[in-house]
Amino acid sequence: ISSGSRTTRSKKRLGRGNGSQKGTSAGKGTKGQKARAGQRGGLKLLGFKKGLQKVPKLRGFKSRFVRLEAVNISTLEKLFLDGDKVTPAILIKKGVARGSGSGIKILGEGKISKKLMIEGCVASKGAIRAIEAAGGAFSF
């Protein structure tokens, strides 16, 4: 029985009469192997398989390919001036990309008329054609 401190719990006093709520079968139910003395093995008897079954199953898979963030040339048209330099760091600073470290891909959706110098970004063939037609340049 504990001395009143918060850290120690008092041991359940089993089989001390029906007035204690733990009398007769002492909280073990009636009959059966687990109701007898010395039969509670616990987790150490379950082995590895039972423990493994309790771990949640991992669904899906992790792709080995880098997932790039997409930025359209219409967005570049709105945010940058003629002759500006476009890099991943600048796109992250302007709030266009989140900067998860995976890289940025420029897509050819929309129209562009400004001459932009793009560095360190991947681009689709359509985006490269549109930017070079506007007088811009790419350097990977």
Side-chain angles (χ1 to χ4, degrees):
I1 298 175
S2 71
S3 59
S5 69
R6 291 179 175 262
T7 55
T8 57
R9 287 183 172 212
S10 58
K11 190 176 175 251
K12 287 181 185 174
R13 299 186 72 226
L14 305 176
R16 294 296 186 275
N18 287 339
S20 69
Q21 303 293 314
K22 290 282 185 270
T24 311
S25 56
K28 294 183 173 196
T30 53
K31 298 185 184 177
Q33 188 180 20
K34 290 185 177 178
R36 311 284 184 238
Q39 296 301 319
R40 292 271 171 152
L43 290 173
K44 64 181 175 279
L45 295 178
L46 294 176
F48 182 71
K49 188 178 178 187
K50 284 280 188 180
L52 197 64
Q53 285 172 340
K54 290 177 182 176
V55 176
K57 192 181 274 188
L58 295 172
R59 302 288 302 245
F61 71 102
K62 288 255 189 217
S63 177
R64 61 188 174 89
F65 298 107
V66 176
R67 187 161 174 91
L68 302 170
E69 285 192 56
V71 177
N72 287 312
I73 55 172
S74 58
T75 310
L76 300 179
E77 176 75 23
K78 289 177 197 169
L79 291 174
F80 293 96
L81 301 171
D82 196 36
D84 276 357
K85 188 178 188 181
V86 179
T87 62
I90 294 169
L91 289 170
I92 291 163
K93 194 181 255 184
K94 291 204 177 217
V96 178
R98 278 175 286 155
S100 57
S102 58
I104 295 167
K105 183 167 186 172
I106 295 169
L107 303 176
E109 195 172 305
K111 290 187 173 132
I112 189 160
S113 59
K114 295 173 183 170
K115 184 179 171 182
L116 299 175
M117 303 301 149
I118 296 169
E119 291 180 6
C121 297
V122 183
S124 66
K125 288 178 185 175
I128 292 169
R129 262 189 258 118
I131 289 167
E132 287 177 347
F138 265 96
S139 62
F140 301 101

